[in-house]
Amino acid sequence: MSSAPPPGDRAGTAVYICHCGHNIAATVDVEAVAQGLESRPGVAVVRHYPYLCSRPGQELIRRDLEDGRAGRVVVAACSPRMHEATFRKAVAEAGTNPYLFRHVNIREQCSWVHPDRAEATAKAADLIDMGLARVRHQEPLEGSEAPVTPRALVLGGGPAGLAAAADLANMGVDVVLVEKAPHLGGRARELGRSFPEGGAVGPWLAERVDEVERHPRVEVLLGSRLTAQDGSPGCYQATLETPAGSITREVGAIIVATGFDLYRPDDPEQGRPELGYGSTPRIVTQQELEDRLRAGEETAPVTVEGTPVHSAAFLQCIGSRDQTTAGAHCSRTCCMVSVRQAEELQKRNPEARVQVVYMDLRAYARGAEEAYEQTARAGVLFRRGSASEIYPKGDRLAVRFEDTLLGRAEELDADLVVLACGARPQPDTPGLAHTLHLARSPDGFYLEAHPKLRPSETASEGIYLAGACQGPKTIDEAVSAGRAAAVKAAIPLLRGSIPVDPVVAEVEFDRCSGCGLCQESCPVGAIAPLPHTGRMTVDPTRCKGCGACAAVCPNNAANLRHYRAKQLLAELEAASR
C-alpha cells in the first residue's frame, strides 16, 4: 500500500511524541525516534514534548493544525484509555476532523514493558510507523445527535440513591426511584451513629427520605425491582416489577445505587464455622452490636444474657482480605466502625477490658486517625493479629489468634466477641449486571469506566454508578458519589440529546444476503432485518462498535467504521517491514 497521503489531503501528517515525564523518556530515546521520522514521506511535522496532555501540549497540536501544517495527526503517548478523548478534542478544536487522528501507546505497550533502552526505542519507532500507515487511510467521520427522554431511573434508595434523586429533581428532572425494600434509607437505617463525629444518623436520614418522598418530580416505587431493560441510550424502556404488577417506564438515564451486602460467617458455602457464629449470643456481628448499643438507654452498660460485659474482643477482617472466602478486598469502613464501637463500649462498661485484633488498622476518613488515638488513650487495647478460632471456655469464650507483631500464637478470654464482617456485592448484582450490560471488578462490585477520569460512568452509555455498589464507602462518600452521578446524568437529560459516536457498524445493502449471522453475534441487539427485504440494518444509537458483526459476515457486507480492512491491513504491513 502507498505511504503517500490520499489524494485530496490538504497536507501530510503531524507526529507528536510525549515524554510522559520519565515514564516514556527514561526508557525510550524520544529525540532519536523524532529525528528518524523527519525524513519519512508524508510526515509534515514531528515534535516531542514533556507532557502532551497538558494545556501547552494540546495548544502545540492546535497551533500546528490551525496554521495548516498538517491534515492528519499521530500522537504517541500513554494508553488511549487515558487520553485519546483529550487529543481528539484538541484536534477537533483546531478545525480538523477528530477521526483523522491516531493514538499510539508507547507507554504501557513499550516503555513500561521493555527495560532495554535500544529495544524500547526500536519498538516505539515501529509502533509509530504502524500508526502513520493506518492514519493515512482513516476517513473523516461525523457524529450525530439522538433525542433523550427527560426522565431518570434511580435504582436503590440508600444515601447515594436519595442524593442522586433529590439533586436531579431539584434540577427539574423527573425521577423514578426504585427500592426493593419496603422503605427508603438502605443500610444507613441500621446505623446508630456516624464515624468519626458520632452524630446520630437517624434524624439526618429521615430528612433525606422526607425530601425525596415529598418532591413532586420523584415517583417512589417501594418493594420493586428492575426486571428488563430495552431501547437505546437516551431512550431506555425499563420494565419494573412492583407490588401492583409489572409496569414500564421510559427513561433517558439510569443510575445504579443498589448498595452492598454483608458477609455471613455462617454462610454454608464460604462461612467460617471455626468462629462459632450462631452458636452462642456472646458472638455477634458489628451490625448486631450496633443494634444493642442503640437499644434502651444510651449510657446503660452493655450486657450479655443480663450480665454486664467485663471483657470484649473485636475481630477485624472477617470475610475481608481473605482468599478463602472470595473476599480479597478491604471493606474499608469496618475498622472505623470498630474503633467507635469499642470506645462506646469502654465508656458504658468502664471496668471492662476491650481489645481490638486487627490485620492492619485503616482509619482513613477525616478525623478518623485522631479518633483511633483517642480510643487507645481511653483504654482500648489494639493488637495486630489474625483470628483463627473461637471456642467455649467455661462460661466465657477463648479467642485464638496469631500475634503478628510478636510472631506467636496468643489466646484471650472474652465475654463478648464482635466480628467485623466485610462488605459484599448484593446477591442480585450478577443478574442486574447482565440486564444493564455492566462490567464487574474482581471483587464482584460494579466497575466504573475509569476510576479517575470517569468514576461515575460505565461502559454502557447513559448508565451511571453511585455509592457502595461500586465498593465499600462511608455515608459521606456515598452521598458525594450519588450527587456526582446526578450531575453526569443531568447533562444529556437537560440538553435533550446525546452525541452518537460515528464509530459504529454499517451494512452494505447490495452485499447483504440476509443470513442473520450479524444479528446473532450482536451483543446489544443493534442489528435487525429491514421489513420486506430481510437485509440487515444497524441502529447507530445502540451499536457499541465491537466489530463482532464484521467478523462473522461471510459476504464482507458488515463493516466497522474507523476499523476497516484497508486501515488494519496498512497497519499490519507496516509492522511486517
Side-chain angles (χ1 to χ4, degrees):
M1 293 185 180
S2 173
S3 60
D9 262 13
R10 61 176 180 172
T13 303
V15 181
Y16 301 90
I17 309 173
C18 183
H19 294 233
C20 198
H22 293 291
N23 282 294
I24 293 174
T27 309
V28 175
D29 189 341
V30 174
E31 289 83 357
V33 174
Q35 289 174 4
L37 291 168
E38 290 176 352
S39 59
R40 299 290 172 85
V43 175
V45 176
V46 180
R47 300 190 191 279
H48 56 88
Y49 195 76
Y51 293 99
L52 275 172
C53 61
S54 66
R55 188 178 296 275
Q58 295 178 55
E59 184 59 33
L60 189 69
I61 298 173
R62 282 194 291 265
R63 189 163 54 246
D64 284 341
L65 294 176
E66 289 172 352
D67 291 346
R69 293 172 178 265
R72 296 169 187 265
V73 177
V74 172
V75 172
C78 59
S79 166
R81 188 179 180 191
M82 286 288 292
H83 283 301
E84 182 175 26
T86 302
F87 295 123
R88 187 169 282 171
K89 180 181 178 183
V91 170
E93 289 174 348
T96 299
N97 189 281
Y99 294 92
L100 299 180
F101 155 77
R102 179 64 179 164
H103 192 117
V104 177
N105 185 353
I106 61 169
R107 189 178 73 175
E108 285 83 351
Q109 294 180 358
C110 187
S111 66
W112 279 4
V113 293
H114 293 289
D116 184 88
R117 185 171 178 82
E119 289 183 359
T121 301
K123 183 176 179 179
D126 288 344
L127 290 171
I128 295 172
D129 279 342
M130 293 167 65
L132 278 168
R134 184 181 173 182
V135 77
R136 289 165 184 153
H137 294 276
Q138 289 179 193
E139 305 162 345
L141 301 177
E142 297 295 337
S144 58
E145 298 282 325
V148 169
T149 302
R151 182 187 297 115
L153 173 67
V154 178
L155 302 176
L162 291 170
D167 278 16
L168 283 169
N170 289 333
M171 285 187 274
V173 176
D174 291 336
V175 178
V176 180
L177 178 58
V178 176
E179 170 57 54
K180 64 182 179 182
H183 47 68
L184 296 177
R187 285 198 172 273
R189 290 171 57 91
E190 302 168 359
L191 298 178
R193 296 190 178 278
S194 63
F195 185 93
E197 296 86 357
V201 174
W204 170 86
L205 186 62
E207 291 181 9
R208 304 286 80 75
V209 170
D210 185 66
E211 177 187 9
V212 168
E213 289 182 333
R214 290 177 176 272
H215 205 292
R217 287 192 174 274
V218 180
E219 177 186 10
V220 178
L221 300 175
L222 299 177
S224 306
R225 62 190 182 92
L226 177 73
T227 57
Q229 171 260 324
D230 197 9
S232 56
C235 296
Y236 290 120
Q237 289 85 47
T239 303
L240 307 169
E241 189 65 35
T242 73
S246 181
I247 62 174
T248 301
R249 292 289 184 271
E250 293 188 357
V251 298
I254 300 174
I255 295 178
V256 181
T258 49
F260 67 101
D261 198 11
L262 287 174
Y263 171 74
R264 298 272 310 177
D266 57 350
D267 185 290
E269 295 182 0
Q270 297 180 356
R272 294 187 58 184
E274 69 273 16
L275 299 181
Y277 177 73
S279 63
T280 169
R282 294 182 180 275
I283 303 176
V284 299
T285 64
Q286 264 186 348
Q287 185 57 61
E288 291 167 344
L289 176 61
E290 188 71 20
D291 294 340
R292 294 190 189 188
L293 292 174
R294 302 284 74 83
E297 295 289 335
E298 291 200 356
T299 57
V302 178
T303 62
V304 177
E305 298 181 319
T307 303
V309 172
H310 295 290
S311 60
F314 288 78
L315 307 183
Q316 300 305 112
C317 297
I318 305 302
S320 291
R321 305 178 65 191
D322 185 351
Q323 297 283 0
T324 65
T325 63
H329 61 282
C330 171
S331 294
R332 302 179 77 230
T333 60
C334 321
C335 287
M336 296 186 289
V337 173
S338 286
V339 167
R340 177 180 60 75
Q341 290 182 339
E343 181 185 28
E344 186 170 352
L345 179 58
Q346 187 75 73
K347 286 181 179 179
R348 292 194 183 196
N349 299 51
E351 303 301 322
R353 179 177 173 81
V354 181
Q355 303 182 65
V356 178
V357 179
Y358 66 94
M359 291 176 65
D360 293 291
L361 201 76
R362 295 176 172 177
Y364 68 91
R366 183 186 296 273
E369 185 70 19
E370 292 79 2
Y372 157 56
E373 294 175 357
Q374 177 183 328
T375 300
R377 287 193 293 268
V380 175
L381 180 62
F382 291 86
R383 305 183 66 177
R384 194 174 189 275
S386 178
S388 61
E389 183 183 7
I390 304 172
Y391 62 93
K393 188 176 182 180
D395 58 352
R396 309 182 76 191
L397 297 170
V399 180
R400 286 182 179 172
F401 68 99
E402 178 191 4
D403 191 313
T404 53
L405 289 179
L406 298 178
R408 67 189 185 199
E410 294 281 336
E411 186 176 290
L412 60 86
D413 296 338
D415 299 324
L416 178 68
V417 176
V418 183
L419 306 178
C421 297
R424 285 287 193 277
Q426 290 279 17
D428 60 356
T429 297
L432 189 59
H434 177 75
T435 299
L436 298 178
H437 306 290
L438 300 178
R440 297 170 65 201
S441 57
D443 53 19
F445 292 95
Y446 296 120
L447 188 64
E448 62 277 350
H450 192 284
K452 293 183 179 180
L453 303 179
R454 299 171 64 194
S456 301
E457 300 171 66
T458 70
S460 297
E461 184 74 23
I463 302 179
Y464 308 88
L465 301 177
C469 67
Q470 297 175 266
K473 286 180 171 63
T474 65
I475 290 181
D476 287 347
E477 291 169 337
V479 170
S480 297
R483 303 191 71 177
V487 170
K488 281 291 184 180
I491 294 172
L493 293 175
L494 295 176
R495 187 173 58 188
S497 64
I498 59 170
V500 177
D501 192 337
V503 182
V504 295
E506 61 183 6
V507 176
E508 294 183 37
F509 187 82
D510 292 339
R511 288 190 175 188
C512 179
S513 63
C515 67
L517 289 176
C518 58
Q519 184 180 17
E520 294 175 9
S521 70
C522 183
V524 294
I527 302 178
L530 286 169
H532 309 301
T533 68
R535 308 290 176 84
M536 296 297 165
T537 185
V538 179
D539 181 351
T541 64
R542 301 183 70 166
C543 179
K544 299 298 180 185
C546 70
C549 54
V552 301
C553 181
N555 301 328
N556 292 327
N559 289 287
L560 182 61
R561 296 176 183 172
H562 204 59
Y563 291 90
R564 298 187 187 278
K566 63 180 180 180
Q567 297 163 357
L568 301 178
L569 289 173
E571 202 168 12
L572 291 172
E573 183 180 340
S576 63
R577 293 191 189 120

